[in-house]
């Protein structure tokens, strides 16, 4: 009996520190929850271990938060930060133990700006936790996985999660080898990512071909991605050719030309229907009734009203005159024109339906490259411009030889001054730096950078063109 009392006393007593961390008094008890019933709070330090505990994980990675340094203390702590760098490198516990690194946008723990996994394996259970937690981070902008042992199913789940994060724009998957090459799923049509880094993933020509097919084709075109890093992979000439071709113009096939004509015909028909709907007939317009029309309508309505009354009692001449005078002064509200009020909402419904159809057609047109107005006619063929949104492409440290360099030179030359690459990294590949084609590519990129950004003034300030 004494042991039971001691256990009860221990469970009843709670320190004030525990109350601060949990935010609950001893009398309050948490309801029993499952993983699916858990509602994320947006605080990674609470949600991540809580979800891991609900999945009965034995080793729960710790959560390390990094708060932004205040502007006032930045100058004072510059020297201290420089002294802390060697100590951080020597800290073996930082790398030996799994840790989820979170960078906050401000002092608020609900404003996580970046989440990083570095050097520990993300299995399916951890991926399930992240899939549940990440959409609740409304300020999340960057997601990084470095040597996290990712698999194809895990990457697929992360792709689905990334689509639910409204503010996510930067994704970095580095040092992860995938046998099924599903990295290209991050560049789907509805992707809003602006920066994607896929360095050191042993990606070959197959992955490069899949990525190139999502950058720009006759069916789809990525209009959001600004930077793509494919450095230190195993991409050869075949994969580089797929990427280079989608950057420049490519000719439409016969079937694509026929499909384009059909879409143009449908668009012209929709515009004609819109013009006809704007010019509504006179009988549907709510015109002000004239005196003659009022008399005719009042006669018809008075006759309709007199018919049932004759069966009951014959109306006197005075009553008839009173009815006529009252009808002429004010048009009837109930029985005068019942069809007019029914016609007006029907016209509005027609206009709203046509407006919805127009919006659907316009959205389809904006997402379909075949209806791009910048199509060019050359040598009896139609040429569709390639991807001109991508501004930075890094192919450093791959297996590209001199044979694929002319394709990059041609594609870069086709891109106009309004869009296209501003940075193209091709060093440390299987060709010498003094290669003639490579030198020409650097010259073209330098001239483009100067024209678009006014590089003459920037070079005086020490900012040169982004060409390597």
């Amino acid at each position: 009996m004494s042991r039971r009392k001691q256990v009860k006393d221990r469970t009843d007593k709670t320190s004030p520190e525990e109350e601060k961390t949990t935010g609950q008094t001893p009398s309050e008890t948490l309801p029993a929850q499952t993983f699916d019933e858990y509602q994320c709070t947006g605080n990674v330090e609470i949600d991540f271990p809580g979800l891991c505990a609900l999945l009965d994980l034995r080793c729960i990675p710790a959560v390390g938060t990094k708060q932004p340094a205040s502007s006032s203390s930045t100058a004072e702590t510059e020297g201290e930060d420089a002294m802390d760098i060697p100590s951080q490198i020597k800290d073996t516990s930082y790398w030996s133990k799994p840790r989820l690194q979170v960078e906050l946008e401000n002092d608020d723990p609900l404003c996580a700006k970046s989440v990083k996994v570095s050097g520990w394996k993300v299995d399916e259970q951890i991926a399930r936790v992240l899939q549940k937690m990440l959409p609740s981070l409304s300020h999340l902008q960057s997601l990084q996985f470095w040597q996290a042992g990712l698999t194809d199913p895990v990457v697929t789940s992360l792709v689905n999660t990334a689509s639910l994060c409204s503010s996510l724009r930067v994704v970095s998957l580095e040092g992860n080898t995938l046998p099924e090459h599903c990295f290209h799923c991050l560049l789907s049509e509805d992707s809003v990512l602006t920066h994607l880094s896929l360095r050191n993933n042993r990606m070959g020509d197959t992955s490069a071909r899949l990525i190139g097919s999502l950058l720009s084709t006759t069916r789809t075109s990525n209009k959001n991605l600004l930077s793509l890093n494919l450095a230190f992979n195993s991409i050869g000439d075949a994969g580089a050719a797929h990427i280079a071709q989608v950057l420049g113009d490519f000719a439409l096939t016969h079937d694509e030309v026929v499909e384009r004509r059909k879409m143009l015909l449908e668009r012209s028909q929709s515009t004609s229907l819109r013009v006809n709907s704007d010019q509504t007939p006179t009988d549907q317009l709510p015109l002000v009734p004239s005196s003659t029309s009022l008399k005719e309508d009042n006669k018809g309505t008075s006759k309709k009203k007199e018919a049932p009354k004759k069966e009951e009692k014959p109306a006197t001449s005075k009553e008839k005159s009173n009815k006529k005078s009252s009808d002429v002064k004010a048009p009837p509200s109930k029985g005068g024109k019942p069809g007019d009020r029914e016609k007006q909402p029907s016209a509005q419904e027609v206009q709203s339906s046509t407006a919805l159809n127009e919006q659907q057609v316009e959205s389809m047109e904006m997402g379909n490259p075949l209806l791009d107005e910048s199509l060019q006619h050359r040598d009896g063929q139609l040429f569709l411009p390639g991807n001109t949104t991508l501004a930075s492409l890094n192919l450093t440290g791959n297996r590209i030889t001199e044979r694929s360099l002319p394709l990059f030179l041609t594609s870069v030359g086709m891109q106009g001054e309004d869009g296209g690459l501003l940075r193209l990294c091709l060093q440390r590949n299987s060709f010498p730096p003094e290669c003639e084609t490579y030198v020409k590519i650097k010259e073209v990129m330098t001239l483009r950078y100067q024209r678009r950004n006014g590089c003459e003034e920037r070079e005086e300030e020490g900012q040169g063109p982004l060409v390597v």
Side-chain angles (χ1 to χ4, degrees):
M1 295 296 291
S2 60
R3 291 181 180 178
R4 292 183 180 179
K5 288 183 180 180
Q6 291 177 359
V7 171
K8 288 183 180 180
D9 294 338
R10 289 177 182 177
T11 56
D12 292 341
K13 294 179 181 179
T14 56
S15 61
E17 295 180 356
E18 292 178 355
E19 293 181 6
K20 291 180 180 179
T21 55
T22 59
Q24 293 180 351
T25 59
S27 59
E28 295 177 350
T29 56
L30 284 173
Q33 285 184 337
T34 62
F35 180 85
D36 296 330
E37 294 176 350
Y38 185 88
Q39 294 183 359
C40 296
T41 62
N43 189 340
V44 181
E45 292 181 337
I46 296 176
D47 294 336
F48 185 76
L51 290 170
C52 292
L54 291 175
L55 291 179
D56 296 331
L57 295 182
R58 295 181 179 178
C59 299
I60 299 177
V63 177
T65 58
K66 178 182 177 181
Q67 296 182 357
S70 60
S71 58
S72 60
S73 60
T74 302
E76 299 177 0
T77 57
E78 283 182 354
E80 296 178 0
D81 293 340
M83 296 296 294
D84 290 341
I85 291 175
S87 62
Q88 291 177 2
I89 296 175
K90 294 178 182 179
D91 188 6
T92 56
S93 62
Y94 181 81
W95 299 101
S96 60
K97 295 181 180 180
R99 180 182 296 270
L100 186 68
Q101 304 174 33
V102 180
E103 182 179 356
L104 301 179
E105 189 173 10
N106 49 45
D107 297 335
D108 188 359
L110 300 180
C111 295
K113 181 177 66 173
S114 173
V115 174
K116 183 178 181 180
V117 174
S118 180
W120 54 279
K121 182 177 177 57
V122 176
D123 55 11
E124 295 183 358
Q125 295 287 75
I126 297 293
R128 188 180 174 188
V129 172
L130 295 176
Q131 190 175 8
K132 176 84 171 179
M133 180 190 66
L134 292 179
S136 65
L137 307 179
S138 58
H139 296 265
L140 183 64
Q141 302 174 13
S142 176
L143 186 61
Q144 304 176 34
F145 292 89
W146 181 75
Q147 292 186 356
L150 300 180
T151 60
D152 290 281
V154 172
V155 172
T156 303
S157 66
L158 291 176
V159 170
N160 298 330
T161 305
S163 62
L164 301 176
C165 301
S166 59
S167 301
L168 185 62
R169 295 295 180 270
V170 180
V171 172
S172 177
L173 306 180
E174 300 178 357
N176 301 277
T177 304
L178 300 181
E180 297 181 7
H181 314 286
C182 68
F183 288 111
H184 66 283
C185 298
L186 292 165
L187 296 176
S188 58
E189 294 183 27
D190 55 350
S191 174
V192 295
L193 298 180
T194 58
H195 297 78
L196 178 61
S197 179
L198 300 174
R199 294 190 307 170
N200 196 20
N201 291 324
R202 298 183 183 178
M203 298 168 57
D205 294 336
T206 302
S207 299
R209 177 181 59 81
L210 294 174
I211 290 174
S213 64
L214 290 176
L215 286 176
S216 180
T217 62
T218 56
R219 308 294 178 184
T220 60
S221 180
N222 191 299
K223 300 294 184 181
N224 296 315
L225 191 67
L226 300 176
S227 174
L228 177 61
N229 193 341
L230 301 176
F232 303 106
N233 284 288
S234 302
I235 300 174
D237 289 329
H242 286 289
I243 297 176
Q245 289 173 356
V246 301
L247 298 176
D249 301 342
F250 46 92
L252 300 182
T253 62
H254 175 71
D255 296 335
E256 292 169 349
V257 172
V258 173
E259 183 179 357
R260 180 176 182 272
R261 290 176 180 175
K262 291 181 180 179
M263 297 178 69
L264 290 174
L265 179 61
E266 292 177 357
R267 184 171 66 177
S268 62
Q269 291 177 353
S270 64
T271 53
S272 62
L273 289 174
R274 180 176 60 186
V275 172
N276 294 333
S277 62
D278 293 339
Q279 298 176 356
T280 55
T282 55
D283 57 350
Q284 294 183 0
L285 294 175
L287 297 176
V288 179
S290 61
S291 59
T292 56
S293 62
L294 284 173
K295 290 179 181 179
E296 293 176 358
D297 294 337
N298 292 329
K299 288 180 181 179
T301 53
S302 61
K303 289 180 180 179
K304 290 179 182 179
K305 289 181 179 180
E306 289 173 0
K309 290 182 179 179
K310 284 180 180 179
E311 297 177 359
E312 298 175 357
K313 288 183 181 181
T316 60
S317 59
K318 293 182 179 180
E319 293 175 353
K320 290 180 180 179
S321 61
N322 292 331
K323 287 180 181 178
K324 288 181 180 179
S325 62
S326 62
D327 293 340
V328 173
K329 290 180 181 177
S333 59
K334 294 183 179 181
K337 292 183 180 180
D340 292 342
R341 294 186 176 180
E342 295 178 357
K343 288 180 182 178
Q344 290 178 0
S346 62
Q348 293 176 357
E349 291 176 358
V350 171
Q351 291 178 358
S352 62
S353 62
T354 53
L356 289 174
N357 293 331
E358 290 172 5
Q359 292 178 357
Q360 293 176 357
V361 172
E362 289 178 357
S363 62
M364 292 176 62
E365 291 176 359
M366 292 177 62
N368 198 322
L370 289 177
L371 296 177
D372 195 340
E373 296 180 356
S374 58
L375 281 173
Q376 299 179 359
H377 295 264
R378 294 197 305 266
D379 301 331
Q381 287 184 324
L382 280 174
F383 286 87
L384 182 69
N387 187 293
T388 57
T389 306
L390 190 67
S392 175
L393 176 61
N394 192 345
L395 290 169
T396 302
N398 282 277
R399 300 177 180 177
I400 302 173
T401 66
E402 298 180 10
R403 289 181 295 178
S404 58
L405 291 182
L407 294 175
F408 283 100
L409 181 60
T410 304
S411 299
V412 169
M414 289 181 179
Q415 293 181 342
E417 297 181 359
D418 297 334
L421 288 177
L422 290 177
R423 175 171 180 160
L424 178 60
C425 300
L426 294 171
Q427 70 271 27
R428 298 186 184 180
N429 276 280
S430 301
F431 58 85
E434 60 273 10
C435 176
E436 182 180 358
T437 309
Y438 179 59
V439 173
K440 289 182 179 180
I441 292 174
K442 294 176 68 175
E443 292 176 355
V444 172
M445 297 298 296
T446 303
L447 290 174
R448 173 178 296 177
Y449 187 88
Q450 290 176 354
R451 291 175 182 176
R452 195 177 302 178
N453 295 319
C455 190
E456 295 179 357
E457 298 178 359
R458 291 175 179 263
E459 285 180 349
E460 294 178 358
E461 298 175 359
Q463 297 179 0
L466 300 176
V467 183
V468 289

